[in-house]
């Protein structure tokens, strides 16, 4: 349904360190910088892009928005969470844990405050 998710950052170098670490923990690769100066992360056909806002105003956090990333195992979720907290992210909500539906979930805020989650897929689809 989506071609990509684009989020804003006030410090692309800091964002690159955070997202390179977290995407690598999930089995992805470090991001690249495109011709327009945006960070681009591609993994399993999905794309996350990070940019300074084109209107020149500061990047702000979207209240009520969570960006969810698929992880292939509980170990990847834990590694993602550890990489994020050691690269400027903040652990939020509960520690990495299993949910009643069988998915294993962790939550972080990136260095700019965007809410992210990494999770395994539930054991059974609803």
């Amino acid at each position: 349904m989506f071609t990509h998710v684009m989020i804003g950052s006030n410090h692309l170098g800091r964002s690159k360190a955070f997202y390179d670490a977290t995407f690598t923990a999930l089995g992805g690769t470090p991001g690249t910088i495109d011709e327009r100066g945006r960070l681009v992360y591609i993994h399993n056909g999905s794309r996350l892009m990070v940019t300074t806002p084109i209107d020149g105003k500061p990047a702000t956090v979207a209240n009520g928005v969570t960006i969810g990333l698929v992880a292939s195992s509980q170990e990847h979720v834990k590694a993602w969470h550890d990489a994020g907290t050691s690269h400027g992210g903040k652990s939020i909500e509960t520690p990495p844990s299993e949910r009643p539906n069988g998915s294993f979930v962790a939550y972080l805020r990136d260095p700019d405050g965007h809410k992210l989650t990494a999770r395994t897929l539930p054991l059974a689809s609803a």
Side-chain angles (χ1 to χ4, degrees), residues 103-125:
S103 64
F104 193 83
V105 180
Y107 287 91
L108 293 171
R109 292 236 181 237
D110 78 358
D112 285 291
H114 299 289
K115 185 177 178 182
L116 309 166
T117 182
R119 63 181 55 224
T120 61
L121 295 177
L123 296 175
S125 299

Side-chain angles (χ1 to χ4, degrees), residues 47-99:
R47 185 178 304 228
L48 175 73
M49 301 172 73
V50 184
T51 188
T52 54
I54 62 173
D55 64 3
K57 295 179 183 175
T60 58
V61 176
N63 189 20
V65 172
T66 303
I67 299 169
L69 305 167
V70 175
S72 60
S73 68
Q74 289 185 9
E75 291 73 25
H76 277 129
V77 172
K78 291 174 187 173
W80 173 86
H81 186 265
D82 291 346
T85 57
S86 64
H87 287 85
K90 181 180 179 186
S91 182
I92 58 171
E93 299 190 16
T94 61
S97 59
E98 189 168 338
R99 293 291 170 95

